[in-house]
Amino acid sequence: MMVLYVNMSQKRKKMERICELCLKYPCKDPRCPNYTPKKSNIYCSYCGERIAYGEEYIENYEGKCRHEDCFEGRSDLLNWLGYEIKIME
C-alpha cells in the first residue's frame, strides 16, 4: 500500500505540471506559448546576452562569440576576426 501511495503522489504532481494547451510534460512544442527553449552557455562578447539556439553567431580565433547583428559594419567584423585593414601605397 505504501508504494502505491508514493506512486500516486508522484503521478499527481506530474499531472499538475502538464501544459493545459498542448497536454505535454514538459512542453516540447515551440508553437505552444508555454514552451521554454533550452538555454545555451554561450554569451555574446559585445552585448553580453546569451546566444539562443537557432541564432546566427560568429566565433573568432580567440574563442569569443558575437551575434551576427552585433557588428557595426564590415571593418568592425574584420578587426574582430583579427584581420588588419591596410591601405595600398
Side-chain angles (χ1 to χ4, degrees):
M1 285 289 216
M2 186 68 128
V3 175
L4 181 61
Y5 179 75
V6 171
N7 289 339
M8 289 301 290
S9 169
Q10 290 173 351
K11 188 174 182 179
R12 194 173 298 124
K13 285 181 184 177
K14 185 177 178 182
M15 290 295 288
E16 290 171 2
R17 292 182 268 165
I18 288 179
C19 177
E20 296 173 357
L21 301 173
C22 66
L23 303 176
K24 301 237 188 301
Y25 172 78
C27 201
K28 295 182 181 180
D29 190 351
R31 297 173 294 176
C32 181
N34 295 328
Y35 172 73
T36 46
K38 291 184 350 183
K39 294 183 178 179
S40 72
N41 294 328
I42 299 174
Y43 289 88
C44 177
S45 62
Y46 182 76
C47 69
E49 292 183 13
R50 188 184 307 257
I51 298 174
Y53 286 97
E55 285 187 320
E56 294 181 344
Y57 72 97
I58 300 171
E59 183 175 352
N60 68 4
Y61 66 95
E62 297 174 334
K64 294 181 180 179
C65 299
R66 263 173 113 170
H67 293 103
E68 182 186 20
D69 299 336
C70 285
F71 291 99
E72 296 178 10
R74 216 176 335 170
S75 60
D76 183 31
L77 169 64
L78 292 172
N79 286 332
W80 187 76
L81 289 173
Y83 293 101
E84 183 180 345
I85 299 173
K86 298 179 181 182
I87 298 175
M88 183 59 72
E89 294 182 14

